[in-house]
Amino acid sequence: MAPVTLHLRSETKPLEYRSALTPTVARKLLDNGFKVNVERSPERIFDDEEFASVGATLVNEGSWPNAPEDHIIIGLKDIPTSPLAIAMFKNQGDWKEVLGRFPRGGGTLYDLEFLADEKGRRVAAFGFHAGYAGAALALLAWVWQLEHGNKEALPSKGHYQRKNDLDSEVKEQVSRGVQKNKGRAPRVLVIGALGRCGKGALECCRQAGIPEERILKWDMDETAQPGPYNAIKEADVFINCIYLSEPIPPFISTDFLKQGTRNLSVVCDVSCDTTNPHNPIPFANQPTYFNKPTITLPDFSDPPLSYITIDHLPSLLPREASEAFSEALLPSLFLLPERDTAPVWVGAEKLFKEKVALLPQALRQR
C-alpha cells in the first residue's frame, strides 16, 4: 500500500498563525511511514525550516489545489473565496455554495471540528485556548474602557509568541484596572464553564489574579430556565462559551440591558455564532477582528458596552494552541490508512454525505 501523503495548507485568513500540524507531529507521522508536504507560509507560527529539519518536504504556498488527487489536504480556516467555510456543517452563512464544491469536484471533506470518537466526543479542539484568549481580550477591554470610556476602541492586538507574554500583560493590566475601579476586581460570568472553552476562560481569569469569588461559573443547570438573565447584567464581563447545537432563548438583549442598573461593559462571544439565527446574544451579530477587536454599541454609556466576536481566538496563542490541537489529532491521523474502516473517519465521511444530501441537486452534481 502506498504511503498516505498529507499536504499542510498555508492558512490564508488574515492574522491566522496556527497550524494543523506542528514540526513535532510531522516528525511522528514521518516516522510512521507517512509523507508530509508543507506549504511555505509567511504567517505560520512555526518557521518553514522547523518542518524541513524533521524531514517534511517544503512546497510552494497555495499549491494545494494542484496536489495529486490521492493527497490529503489539511488546514484549519477559510478556504479561499469563502469566509465561512468553517461553519459549513453548522448550516451557517454560505454553507451550501461552499460545501457543494466538494461533491462537484469529486472530493470529501473531513471536518476536523466534527471529528469524533466512538462515544461521540470530539477528538481534537481548540476550545481551551479559544476560551483563554477570549477571556484575555475581554479583560483587556474592561481595563481599556475604565481608562478611556467609549472615546476610543481597544487597539489592534497581535499574536503572542508565548503564553507567558500574554499572561504578564493581562495580569498587569487587570491590576491597573482594579486600582482604577476603587479596588474592585471585575465580576466575570462564564456560561459554558464546564466545557473546554469555559475551562480556558476560567484559567485565564485565575492567571490574571481575579479572586475566585468574583468568577461566576454557569453551565447547563444555571441556564435550565430560559433567559434573559439578571446575572449577566450584574457582571462586568460576560464570556459566552456554550456550543450552540439547538435553538435557545436569548441570554441577553439590548432592551433588557436598558432596564434598571447595569454593570456589564464587555461581552466576549467565544462561540461566535454571529450568523446563527438562534444566536443567544442577538446584538453580537457582526464579526470583530484582531486588528479591531471590539464593537461598541451605541446608546450605552456609564459604562460603555462593547463585544468581541473574533472567530479564530486561539490564534492569539498560536504556538500553544497548535501544539495541543495537533497532538490530540495525531492518533486519528495515524488511522488515515484505514480510513475506510476506522470509526473516526467513517463517521466523518458519513456526516459529510449527510450534509451533501441536503444540497440542491445543482450544487452537488459533478
Side-chain angles (χ1 to χ4, degrees), residues 340-363:
D340 291 340
T341 56
V344 66
W345 297 110
V346 170
E349 184 171 2
K350 178 175 180 288
L351 179 60
F352 167 71
K353 290 180 177 178
E354 289 173 352
K355 291 296 181 178
V356 167
L358 300 176
L359 297 175
Q361 185 68 24
L363 289 180

Side-chain angles (χ1 to χ4, degrees), residues 72-117:
I72 297 175
I73 314 302
I74 184 168
L76 293 176
K77 291 298 290 184
D78 304 349
I79 297 171
T81 76
S82 171
L84 292 170
I86 197 65
M88 279 187 287
F89 284 6
K90 292 182 179 178
N91 297 4
Q92 291 184 29
D94 56 351
W95 72 276
K96 292 182 180 179
E97 290 72 15
V98 178
L99 183 61
R101 295 166 59 183
F102 289 88
R104 293 199 305 273
T108 299
L109 172 65
Y110 298 124
D111 193 325
L112 299 181
E113 184 179 6
F114 290 87
L115 210 60
D117 63 18

